[in-house]
Amino acid sequence: MFSSPAWDSSGWASSSNLFRHISGIVMTDDAFWRAAADVVKVTNPLISVLYKLESDICPMGILYAAMDSAKEDIKSNLRGNHGDSWAQVDRIWDGYLHSPLHAAGHMLNPRIFCSDQFRHDAEISSGIIRCITQLGQVYFNPRKAALQLETYQHKLGSFDSVPAFQTITGIPQVQWWSVHGARMPDLQTMAKRILSQTCFGATRYNIDWSLSEKLHVGRWKRTFLEHQRFCQMEYVHYNLVFARATPCLQGSSVVHHGGVLVLDDWIAAVK
């Protein structure tokens, strides 16, 4: 833009010291372009994750591996100088995005679990144990599911068959569990429930998380019981919104009225 005749003849080129300063940086400062290149090296892998989230098929077992892959791409792109970038990614991932469901889905996804890239770590173990404990209170026997998980982890029983490995990439994950997990009904139930969830981005369901973020900003002003009660209300509210939502690609469900944010039937004053 700054090297174009249109810019030179626009009058903006000489109308402001700020514009001349910016033009000088863009036209002559190599450090600016090196920094810009580093930004692209960090953002491109993360944008690829966003594309996966907004795809038509994005089951729960994908996001954990996608984030790991994005971090490794950032490390490779920056040639080892990735410490600060990883710290920023981890801050958002750990504070806002990560869920035990993602860790459990990562392990229960047979395509990932049986690949050479799979690495079993403490985060995955704690995530799947939490899912067994919480989901097992309603949908299956948690003790039996834990025992059956060991069979799956060691690729024994029906998980050791040739057809089980041959069909990993040929059929959807939930269908794979329906076929090859029949002898492990409790683990099969958990796997199908988790892998049936999608990772669509919030915009696909017309959800604007800014309401949640604004209400969480003042969490330190509340007592522990007040904040716990708010979290429970938030959990129920967003689940009700998702239950009746129709996927879409644009728009916002948040309406602003003065100092109040309105999200469907939940009205909360924001100071």
Side-chain angles (χ1 to χ4, degrees):
M1 181 184 75
F2 290 123
S3 62
S4 68
W7 170 258
D8 291 333
S9 62
S10 67
W12 292 100
S14 59
S15 64
S16 167
N17 290 332
L18 176 60
F19 289 146
R20 287 195 295 271
H21 177 64
I22 294 173
S23 176
I25 292 174
V26 173
M27 297 294 290
T28 63
D29 192 342
D30 291 339
F32 168 82
W33 289 106
R34 287 195 296 270
D38 285 343
V39 169
V40 173
K41 292 174 183 177
V42 172
T43 55
N44 269 353
L46 298 177
I47 289 173
S48 70
V49 175
L50 295 179
Y51 275 122
K52 290 178 181 179
L53 290 180
E54 295 299 340
S55 67
D56 291 334
I57 302 176
C58 184
M60 185 64 68
I62 286 180
L63 184 57
Y64 193 100
M67 286 299 298
D68 272 354
S69 178
K71 288 179 64 176
E72 290 302 321
D73 288 343
I74 292 172
K75 179 180 178 180
S76 176
N77 291 345
L78 297 179
R79 299 185 179 181
N81 299 318
H82 59 283
D84 291 340
S85 299
W86 270 26
Q88 292 298 322
V89 172
D90 287 341
R91 182 177 66 84
I92 300 299
W93 173 249
D94 295 336
Y96 294 93
L97 301 177
H98 181 263
S99 163
L101 288 171
H102 293 306
H106 179 71
M107 182 173 181
L108 294 172
N109 182 339
R111 301 179 188 178
I112 296 174
F113 179 69
C114 295
S115 70
D116 295 334
Q117 287 74 36
F118 180 80
R119 297 291 181 273
H120 197 160
D121 57 29
E123 190 174 60
I124 293 175
S125 296
S126 62
I128 199 163
I129 291 301
R130 283 188 62 184
C131 289
I132 289 176
T133 302
Q134 294 183 11
L135 295 177
Q137 297 175 10
V138 180
Y139 301 108
F140 52 83
N141 186 312
R143 186 181 64 82
K144 291 181 179 179
L147 293 174
Q148 293 165 11
L149 178 64
E150 294 185 13
T151 302
Y152 173 71
Q153 286 180 278
H154 293 93
K155 299 183 178 68
L156 301 175
S158 59
F159 303 117
D160 190 32
S161 65
V162 173
F165 286 101
Q166 288 179 337
T167 57
I168 283 176
T169 59
I171 60 177
Q173 303 162 39
V174 174
Q175 186 178 344
W176 187 90
W177 275 97
S178 296
V179 174
H180 301 289
R183 297 181 184 178
M184 308 288 173
D186 296 275
L187 182 63
Q188 181 193 56
T189 298
M190 184 180 79
K192 290 171 68 175
R193 290 195 67 85
I194 292 176
L195 295 174
S196 293
Q197 306 298 314
T198 67
C199 289
F200 284 148
T203 54
R204 178 64 71 91
Y205 286 98
N206 209 15
I207 299 298
D208 189 330
W209 293 117
S210 63
L211 172 65
S212 178
E213 293 172 358
K214 287 178 181 296
L215 293 176
H216 275 289
V217 166
R219 66 186 183 277
W220 305 118
K221 299 179 183 179
R222 307 186 188 97
T223 66
F224 173 78
L225 291 178
E226 288 173 337
H227 182 63
Q228 189 177 45
R229 179 173 175 270
F230 165 72
C231 289
Q232 292 170 346
M233 290 173 57
E234 181 185 34
Y235 176 82
V236 171
H237 173 74
Y238 278 119
N239 273 281
L240 289 174
V241 172
F242 278 124
R244 60 176 181 260
T246 301
C248 60
L249 294 178
Q250 59 186 357
S252 174
S253 56
V254 173
V255 180
H256 297 264
H257 294 288
V260 175
L261 294 175
V262 182
L263 182 54
D264 292 338
D265 55 336
W266 184 11
I267 302 177
V270 180
K271 297 181 179 179

